[in-house]
Amino acid sequence: MTETTTPAQVGVLGGGRMGAGIAHAFLLAGSRVTVVERDGEAAAAASARVLESVDASISRGTATESADAYRSRFETGVDAALFAPCGLVVEAVPEELGLKIDALTRVEAQIAPDAVLASNTSSISIDELAAVLEHPARFLGMHFFNPVPASTLVEIVRGAASGSGLVDAARGWVQALGKTPIVVADAPGFASSRLGLALGLEAIRMLEDGVASAEDIDAAMTLGYKHPVGPLRLTDIVGLDVRLGIAEYLAANLGERFAPPALLRRLVAEGHLGRKSGRGFYEWDAS
């Protein structure tokens, strides 16, 4: 039977929007959580991000402990050696192969022999990342979705070298977070990014071709197909630069059907990255 409790101590490398969301999820589930960032300023920003999210959960009544209790189990820092006592460390750095390889090898050198190392990658091959590790059997993908607190899905990616029982353990952790796991084999884009990107890229091409406005293209999916958010608004939420990087990776591995539209490239080049920059296919409050 799968154990549905989270590890006592969890590490997260990277405290941006995704990393902070992952830290928040494990904190609320009862784990002691350590977030490591590149420097003191980034660590302070990550701390504020996580604790604001915790306070919001308390205000909504979705957290069961006091703010002080959560704060007592949470720390940030700049040294990967802080991960030494963790039973699980989730890498959540930007979606760049070289950056992830550097991050994972740094973390692996600091964690215990029986600790699990996971990547939050949304598209990069788990087997490709595992190839640089000393202990690939303790490595797998745990792809959380943005925003983590509101999303109920985690995509568990099983690598060819992932050890027996590792996927079951991860499934139990995800269930302990109150989320639903799906398990996929390692393949470019896995299941979620591959399907989601195919829809998003076609929506961008339709906008580029003047088929309809962004609002009407999105309404076709939210009203016609009951999607919770349209593909263009979702691209703004994810980040146009993130979607471009995934598209380039999938185009290289799966072919021209994932080639990024010129409109996507232009908007990214102009710095219009979606919600985080204040403008993408929509205008956003970037404060």
Side-chain angles (χ1 to χ4, degrees):
M1 181 176 178
T2 300
E3 185 179 358
T4 54
T5 57
T6 58
Q9 298 197 55
V10 173
V12 180
L13 183 67
R17 183 184 295 273
M18 290 303 300
I22 294 167
H24 166 268
F26 279 102
L27 260 180
L28 263 61
S31 297
R32 179 176 294 276
V33 177
T34 300
V35 173
V36 170
E37 261 289 2
R38 63 184 180 277
D39 55 40
E41 183 179 355
S47 179
R49 207 171 280 124
V50 173
L51 294 177
E52 286 172 9
S53 187
V54 167
D55 289 342
S57 293
I58 293 172
S59 297
R60 288 194 299 268
T62 56
T64 59
E65 299 179 69
S66 68
D68 287 343
Y70 290 118
R71 282 166 168 76
S72 72
R73 299 202 311 273
F74 175 63
E75 66 175 335
T76 58
V78 298
D79 188 349
L82 291 169
F83 292 144
C86 294
L88 166 68
V89 178
V90 181
E91 166 273 307
V93 303
E95 195 76 353
E96 298 173 18
L97 178 61
L99 192 60
K100 287 191 178 292
I101 287 174
D102 176 69
L104 290 167
T105 53
R106 249 186 324 121
V107 171
E108 187 184 39
Q110 301 294 337
I111 59 178
D114 58 348
V116 175
L117 183 57
S119 176
N120 184 52
T121 180
S122 57
S123 64
I124 296 173
S125 168
I126 292 300
D127 289 342
E128 187 172 2
L129 295 174
V132 305
L133 298 176
E134 292 290 330
H135 304 285
R138 65 178 179 181
F139 177 66
L140 79 170
M142 291 183 70
H143 176 206
F144 290 78
F145 288 76
N146 184 23
V148 177
S151 174
T152 57
L153 177 67
V154 178
E155 188 174 39
I156 298 170
V157 186
R158 181 185 63 247
S162 297
S164 174
L166 189 58
V167 168
D168 283 343
R171 186 186 284 114
W173 299 333
V174 170
Q175 291 169 345
L177 297 176
K179 301 182 185 298
T180 300
I182 63 170
V183 178
V184 301
D186 184 42
F190 315 133
S192 60
S193 293
R194 185 165 169 176
L195 287 169
L197 186 69
L199 179 60
L201 293 179
E202 190 59 28
I204 296 169
R205 294 186 190 103
M206 290 169 64
L207 183 64
E208 194 173 48
D209 292 344
V211 172
S213 67
E215 292 83 356
D216 286 350
I217 291 169
D218 279 353
M221 301 312 296
T222 58
L223 301 179
Y225 288 86
K226 305 303 181 186
H227 288 201
V229 62
L232 296 173
R233 186 171 293 276
L234 180 60
T235 298
D236 272 10
I237 293 169
V238 170
L240 275 69
D241 54 334
V242 174
R243 277 277 164 101
L244 175 59
I246 296 172
E248 289 174 334
Y249 180 81
L250 293 188
N253 285 275
L254 295 175
E256 281 299 302
R257 68 186 186 278
F258 288 100
L263 175 58
L264 178 60
R265 291 191 181 279
R266 177 172 63 79
L267 289 172
V268 171
E270 292 173 352
H272 302 313
L273 308 181
R275 181 170 64 180
K276 60 188 171 187
S277 71
R279 179 182 165 193
F281 297 108
Y282 295 87
E283 299 289 336
W284 298 82
D285 180 0
S287 60

